[in-house]
Amino acid sequence: MESRNREKKRKRREILEKKKAIDESLKAASAHKDHLTAFPSFRQYERNGLSVHLESGCGDKLSSAEKQYILNLLKANMEGPYGSEWPAEEKVKRREMVASEARYIFARELDAPSASASEMSKTNFAESNGSIVGFVHFRFCLEEDVPVLYVYELQLESRVQGKGLGKFLMQLIELIARKNRMGAVVLTVQKANLLAMNFYLSKLRYVVSSISPSRVDPFTGVEKSYEILCKVFDNESKALLQE
């Protein structure tokens, strides 16, 4: 009996220590304002006729112009896939957009040929040369007891799509997740957004998560308009989010 009690106490202690470690990882990751500092080589994208500089941002620090740009691009890209759900969804996205825990990576196209990455890094975002052509909105949170980087939005203007920038941004997102000891990258995609579904499932090798409605309950899940996708980084996360 005594040995059994000791074993129970040991297991409880392990669970509490694990929970504490996860909480600390999430807190540390969320406190960091500029995750690009750890990956300086990702500040610049120059391929397929694009010359883009990446900048970090926070939801509660967005300028009025940045907020309006985000809303305009969301409407242009997502009103079609959401259909009749868009008016309600747009209100949700307005709130999510400015949350203090929201983190952004903005892609800013270099207008002036002479503007190099080193020159851009010396200026602040509001004064940077060039116009925004897309962004990623992400957060650090807990899903099924797994610390994850959740991609709320990956949005690019139509004229810069198909040039490798989206894949480049997702590669960066995965590096940020790993560096901050997250167990997975998770995101939600509208079923009607066939290009996005193909991009994540075929090109980036994401899978439909076990927490997605279609897998939780195939009978009712088929009525849902979205799937939850994930890419896991360890066996424990795989058991909880994928299998």
Side-chain angles (χ1 to χ4, degrees), residues 19-33 35 101 103 140-142 147 180-182:
K19 185 179 184 300
K20 182 180 178 182
I22 289 173
D23 289 344
E24 288 175 351
S25 293
L26 286 171
K27 187 176 180 180
S30 299
H32 202 52
K33 304 299 183 184
H35 289 277
E101 61 269 29
R103 296 290 174 268
F140 299 96
C141 60
L142 205 60
N180 287 276
R181 297 187 292 172
M182 298 296 108

Side-chain angles (χ1 to χ4, degrees), residues 71-161:
L71 290 172
N72 289 346
L73 187 54
L74 282 169
K75 181 178 176 66
N77 287 353
M78 301 309 297
E79 187 173 21
Y82 274 105
S84 61
E85 297 177 9
W86 176 246
E89 189 63 29
E90 185 178 31
K91 293 179 182 178
V92 173
K93 291 184 182 297
R94 281 179 181 270
R95 293 194 300 270
E96 294 175 342
M97 175 182 71
V98 296
S100 60
E101 61 269 29
R103 296 290 174 268
Y104 286 88
I105 295 173
F106 291 99
R108 186 180 285 272
E109 192 170 32
L110 304 184
D111 288 342
S114 59
S116 66
S118 61
E119 289 171 339
M120 289 287 287
S121 65
K122 294 175 184 176
T123 62
N124 65 39
F125 183 76
E127 297 170 348
S128 295
N129 191 21
S131 55
I132 307 170
V133 293
F135 67 90
V136 185
H137 165 193
F138 64 97
R139 304 186 191 187
F140 299 96
C141 60
L142 205 60
E143 289 288 341
E144 300 296 308
D145 293 327
V146 176
V148 306
L149 185 158
Y150 208 113
V151 177
Y152 274 58
E153 306 288 348
L154 168 59
Q155 302 292 341
L156 299 177
E157 292 185 17
S158 58
R159 66 185 180 87
V160 301
Q161 293 177 17

Side-chain angles (χ1 to χ4, degrees), residues 46-59:
E46 291 192 8
R47 298 174 203 167
N48 303 316
L50 282 182
S51 183
V52 172
H53 181 73
L54 303 187
E55 301 275 356
S56 293
C58 297

Side-chain angles (χ1 to χ4, degrees), residues 45 50 52 54 107 133 156 160 162-170:
Y45 180 83
L50 282 182
V52 172
L54 303 187
V133 293
L156 299 177
V160 301
K163 297 186 177 183
L165 180 57
K167 184 177 181 180
F168 181 78
L169 288 168
M170 286 305 297

